[in-house]
Amino acid sequence: MTVVTEQEIASYVGRVRAALADLPPAVRDELLEELPEHLAEVAVEGEGSLTERLGPPEAYAVELRAAAGVAAPAGGANLDQRISAVVGKGRERLRAVDTRLGPVLGYARLSEFLRLLRPAWWLLRGYLVAMLVTVMVTGEPFGLLPRLGGSTLAALLLLAATVAGSVWLGRRSATLGRRPTWVLHLSSAFLVIFGLVGFFDADSRAAQDGYGYHEVYTDQYSGVRDVYVYDSEGRLVEGVRLFDQNGEPIRLGGPWCDEARERLEPGESYVDPMQQPYPYCPQHAPFQLRGPGPSATPAAVPTSGPDPAGTPIGDPSASPSAVPTSEAPAVTPTPTS
């Protein structure tokens, strides 16, 4: 918790007084008469420095001028005063939003509820840092857990280190100076953007794999539109589905020919590649089997000539019990009941 000291209040009042140095002393003293008491009340109301809650003293001086209807110096406000005025107005609007949204969540101010979420943000920040390191080191897309060389132990150690560092920094963020605080805020904003982009990217990849198929986007297969599989006899095999070593289906290309649209159901206008086996367009196969395929030819049975025993097969004197090997005796079916 940041405690506002009397020295800080006096320093803030002094800078406001310096910003109003062009005014007559009587007018300036009147504007600053109740400022120390007001700053003391603000210091008691919540956490953070006076500059964090009220804006720079120069911007506060501009607000005092506007409230009192006192014109700015004849030369006009310099660049620092203009920037401070813009920052002051922005902070004023944020305070108004803070006050309006607080009761919706059951708190006087929204900032009070957000302070309760600081530990959760510290954990999330450490997780996002681990994911950022993983993406930068490995070049892999955003996932659910950090991966370092395929080692789960290294990933867990990285995650533990980043989360512990984020918690340590969060507990000491109140003691940081103005410039380190701004750096911390900017880095936090960057991590939030990185997390949102990674989340939507992971969601998009999960949607593409909704049917379990993996799209292949490599230089080697980037131009593949169809896959044709042939058997050992050179004949085209249709209705093929491909799987990797883990049993996950692989999907390359997509229905690209007019014939693929002929398989559409009535009322459909889109050929879903996830529902189509390979090849999508068998009519466009790069190789076609020429002529009839191989067929089995029965072995020729000689009709004459001596057998190994010396008896001519076609001799009438052959034993009548000889039955041609190509014929089997007829079997009369016997009824079972």
Side-chain angles (χ1 to χ4, degrees), residues 14 16 23 27 31 50 61 66 73 75 108 150 153-154 166 183 187 195 236 248 251 269 284 319 326:
V16 174
L23 297 178
V27 176
L31 293 178
L50 294 176
L153 177 60
S166 178
V183 173
S187 60
L236 179 66
E248 296 291 340
R251 179 58 54 180
S269 59
H284 298 270
S319 175
S326 61

Side-chain angles (χ1 to χ4, degrees), residues 12-70:
Y12 196 95
V13 173
R15 293 177 59 182
V16 174
R17 182 183 298 275
L20 300 175
D22 59 294
L23 297 178
V27 176
R28 184 175 61 248
D29 293 341
E30 182 180 356
L31 293 178
L32 300 176
E33 182 179 1
E34 299 179 357
L35 181 58
E37 291 78 5
H38 173 67
L39 296 180
E41 294 176 359
V42 172
V44 176
E45 290 178 357
E47 299 179 4
S49 64
L50 294 176
T51 302
E52 292 175 351
R53 282 181 280 176
L54 299 178
E58 294 75 13
Y60 193 86
V62 174
E63 296 178 4
L64 286 178
R65 289 177 183 271
V70 179

